[in-house]
Each structure stands twice: as C-alpha cells, then as structure tokens.
Amino acid sequence: MRTGCTSPRRCRSLKFGPILTRKNAVIFADNDFEIFVDVDGSTHGYKEFEVNARNTTWDLILNAPYGFDGGFENSSRVFGRGGWSMTPPLVSAVHVEEGRLNDPTAGETKRWTVEMALPVALLSFNTSAAAAAATDSH
C-alpha cells in the first residue's frame, strides 16, 4: 500500500540551480522540496525525503533530531546498499513550468511541481508504531 502527496511549490528562480543529479546527494542547498515524517511523534527515527527540480532525490532516517544527541543519518548515501532507503517503492515526478532549468535564454523558471507516492510501510520502520503493529499481529 502507498499513499500519495501532491505538493506544488513556487520557486523564485531556477536560473542558477538545481545542479545536483546524483541520488542521495546532499541536496538541501539546491532549491528543493522537503518532507519530514515522524509517524509516532517521538522526534526519533523520523524520515526525510527531499527532491529538487531535476527530480534528484535524497531519502534518509535520523535516529534523533540534529543537535539532540543525534542526527545520525542512516541512508544509502552513508552506508551504500546496506543503508535505509524508501526507493523502491517510493516514486516521484517533477514538472517544470515556464522556462527550462539552468537556461537563462528560455526565461526565468517561475514554478515547478513535485508529486510523490511515499511507501507507508517504510515510513513506520524503526518506530514505536512499527513495534506496536508487530505485537498486534502475534
């Protein structure tokens, strides 16, 4: 089962970015859209998904918030194939409107839209919600 989230975001200008194209690159410096999911409200084991206008994605799980005895990232960026990842089945798509990325001759890119489907089962991974579900099934 998956759930979808459609979120349009207006951008001031994309003339000089985004530049990153490698999956799980640290893209927050690019003009990006970020989703934070804390299934059980504990602020621990929360998931992040980030995407830029090139549809470059970064997904990760943090053991605790940055600056709170934590911020340890578990992702395939850090641990390769052994790291946590929502892909697959996470999917995302980006549509750039009014212009072209990094092409000032095409005019300023005024808006881009991202649509994604986040995998519900992976969002509860390593949380008290996942532990409760496992206990309930026995």
Side-chain angles (χ1 to χ4, degrees), residues 11-126:
C11 301
R12 290 189 183 120
S13 172
L14 293 176
K15 276 194 280 198
F16 303 109
I19 59 171
L20 298 172
T21 58
R22 194 183 86 243
K23 179 176 173 17
N24 287 328
V26 180
I27 65 171
F28 65 82
D30 267 0
N31 192 342
D32 75 341
F33 183 81
E34 302 179 13
I35 293 178
F36 300 85
V37 179
D38 182 9
V39 173
D40 61 3
S42 69
T43 70
H44 291 69
Y46 73 89
K47 293 25 168 229
E48 289 186 31
F49 175 75
E50 303 182 23
V51 60
N52 69 14
R54 289 186 182 270
N55 202 25
T56 301
T57 61
W58 181 22
D59 56 317
L60 60 122
I61 182 173
L62 287 177
N63 66 322
Y66 297 113
F68 180 78
D69 292 333
F72 177 79
E73 175 187 337
N74 181 346
S75 72
S76 58
R77 181 183 77 83
V78 175
F79 295 110
R81 291 178 180 244
W84 184 82
S85 179
M86 283 192 279
T87 54
L90 178 138
V91 290
S92 64
V94 170
H95 176 70
V96 177
E97 301 173 28
E98 300 178 49
R100 289 189 302 268
L101 294 177
N102 300 325
D103 183 358
T105 65
E108 183 178 353
T109 303
K110 298 187 192 240
R111 181 175 36 199
W112 60 284
T113 304
V114 60
E115 186 172 347
M116 64 198 68
L118 301 174
V120 173
L122 290 174
L123 294 176
S124 64
F125 171 77
N126 202 30

